[in-house]
Amino acid sequence: KQEVTQIPAALSVPEGENLVLNCSFTDSAIYNLQWFRQDPGKGLTSLLLIQSSQREQTSGRLNASLDKSSGRSTLYIAASQPGDSATYLCAVRPSLGSGTYKYIFGTGTRLKVLA
Amino acid sequence: GVTQSPTHLIKTRGQQVTLRCSSQSGHNTVSWYQQALGQGPQFIFQYYRKEENGRGNFPPRFSGLQFPNDSSELNVNALELDDSALYLCASSLGMNTEAFFGQGTRLTVV
């Protein structure tokens, strides 16, 4: 059974700092992995999608990497800003034939960037 | 985008509730997730071309419908206190393509 874990559960950093959020998953048979942002009480905003054949994706100050064999992904945020404060969720889609239709989510990392 | 209604709802234990979702235009797939406070979203089910395509570990009192006009419903019967959560709808063009989430409906069961 696929399980997704995110460490740390919460993180507080001063503005301008570069930071790394971690995501690990127990089954390497994934279709893709996606990082989302969630503001309190709101829906999910997609940040980056990495297909199983890819190693990384970049968008602006965000860079996500994927190491499928070790069951790990990291989200790197450069030059953090107070507006980056939110919960960051990692989700995997299982491989074809194993329930690719669903996302399996971690419990998230709650990030606070201090001005 | 994906829109959900209502944004907040309070129901009494034992009642029934219907949550609504309007998918992104042209999307033929809708998925529903339940997110308890402090947890990641949990998959409830997915509808592809109006048929249930997959289901998570939720009892039959959770049911859904998908309509021709890009709208869908999540129905929950015999509400329990543990059903209190944020319910998220996600639409996509295909069963395993990138999904786009709505803002959610906050359901409180008292």
Side-chain angles (χ1 to χ4, degrees), chain B residues 52-67:
Chain B
E52 187 178 293
N53 180 57
R55 190 177 186 93
N57 190 26
F58 282 83
R61 59 188 185 85
F62 286 78
S63 63
L65 287 170
Q66 186 183 20
F67 302 105

Side-chain angles (χ1 to χ4, degrees), chain A residues 1-114:
Chain A
K1 179 191 170 190
Q2 177 74 272
E3 292 183 0
V4 180
T5 304
Q6 292 186 247
I7 294 173
L11 184 62
S12 187
V13 300
E15 182 177 6
E17 196 160 294
N18 301 325
L19 56 100
V20 174
L21 307 182
N22 296 296
C23 171
S24 61
F25 46 95
T26 55
D27 187 344
S28 63
I30 65 169
Y31 188 77
N32 59 36
L33 182 145
Q34 197 159 353
W35 284 91
F36 293 89
R37 169 186 171 136
Q38 185 174 34
D39 293 296
K42 303 295 186 183
L44 308 183
T45 300
S46 177
L47 297 174
L48 290 165
L49 169 67
I50 311 177
Q51 300 294 346
S52 62
S53 59
Q54 297 176 318
R55 297 283 294 183
E56 66 178 330
Q57 282 286 345
T58 298
S59 176
R61 295 184 294 109
L62 305 180
N63 175 276
S65 68
L66 174 63
D67 184 343
K68 212 171 61 163
S69 60
S70 68
R72 289 182 175 181
S73 176
T74 61
L75 178 66
Y76 175 82
I77 303 177
S80 59
Q81 303 170 357
D84 294 331
S85 299
T87 295
Y88 291 80
L89 291 158
C90 165
V92 301
R93 277 199 191 274
S95 59
L96 290 171
S98 304
T100 310
Y101 46 78
K102 64 186 175 190
Y103 287 111
I104 299 172
F105 284 87
T107 52
T109 293
R110 193 169 63 253
L111 172 65
K112 187 169 185 178
V113 181
L114 305 170

Side-chain angles (χ1 to χ4, degrees), chain B residues 19-38:
Chain B
L19 310 183
R20 293 182 173 81
C21 173
S22 178
S23 299
Q24 198 160 311
S25 179
H27 283 186
N28 56 14
T29 306
V30 64
S31 304
W32 287 89
Y33 290 80
Q34 180 196 67
Q35 186 178 23
L37 207 58

